């Protein structure tokens, strides 16, 4: 397979998504787990988690704003943890959720015939 982007870090993943790379091989188990958690969420849970993470981020200093964030966190805790761990902008989170399909741990062939084992492969739909 040609045109495979191999990423090891969040910043490399962010750049690959911004460029709209067709195939992204993730070589970090923890980053792959966070992307899997994000992709496995229902659309309602995903929207609630993104909103709750935003409420927490903007109201961490304001006890009156904690209620909204806590309600969302209780219902989507592991998803919020993955969103915070990935640490991408809302636009890029939606790009992962809407624009890429994922394959679990697999071997992928690179241009030139070499192959690598990836913890996760993302393919742009």
């Amino acid at each position: 397979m040609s045109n495979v982007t191999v990423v090891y870090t969040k910043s490399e993943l962010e750049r690959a998504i911004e460029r709209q790379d067709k195939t992204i091989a993730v070589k970090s188990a923890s980053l792959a787990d966070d992307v899997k958690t994000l992709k496995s969420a229902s659309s309602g849970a995903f929207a609630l988690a993104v909103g709750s993470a935003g409420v927490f981020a903007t109201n961490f200093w304001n006890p009156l704003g904690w209620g909204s964030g806590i309600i969302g966190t209780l219902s989507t805790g592991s998803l919020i943890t993955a969103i915070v761990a990935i640490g991408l902008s809302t636009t890029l989170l939606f790009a992962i959720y809407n624009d890429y399909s994922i394959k679990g741990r697999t071997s992928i062939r690179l241009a030139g015939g070499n192959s690598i084992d990836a913890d996760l492969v993302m393919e742009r739909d």
Side-chain angles (χ1 to χ4, degrees):
M1 178 179 286
S2 60
N3 299 325
V4 175
T5 302
V6 179
V7 301
Y8 296 87
T9 65
K10 292 184 286 188
S11 61
E12 291 173 338
L13 178 61
E14 180 176 18
R15 287 190 300 272
I17 294 167
E18 286 173 343
R19 288 190 308 261
Q20 299 181 353
D21 291 356
K22 177 117 177 94
T23 305
I24 303 170
V26 178
K27 292 280 290 175
S28 162
S30 62
L31 185 57
D33 287 342
D34 292 336
V35 171
K36 285 179 202 172
T37 300
L38 179 73
K39 285 293 292 180
S40 67
S42 69
S43 58
F46 177 73
L48 179 61
V50 169
S52 296
V55 167
F56 257 167
T58 59
N59 291 306
F60 71 94
W61 56 270
N62 180 358
L64 297 176
W66 293 353
S68 299
I70 289 171
I71 291 168
T73 301
L74 291 175
S75 43
T76 59
S78 62
L79 182 55
I80 289 177
T81 302
I83 288 170
V84 170
I86 292 174
L88 299 176
S89 72
T90 303
T91 303
L92 294 178
L93 290 172
F94 274 99
I96 291 172
Y97 189 77
N98 292 322
D99 299 340
Y100 285 90
S101 58
I102 62 169
K103 294 179 186 172
R105 186 164 180 74
T106 188
S107 182
I108 188 166
R109 186 167 299 279
L110 303 173
N114 296 330
S115 61
I116 61 165
D117 291 327
D119 294 300
L120 179 84
V121 175
M122 300 170 55
E123 292 184 337
R124 189 160 176 85
D125 298 331

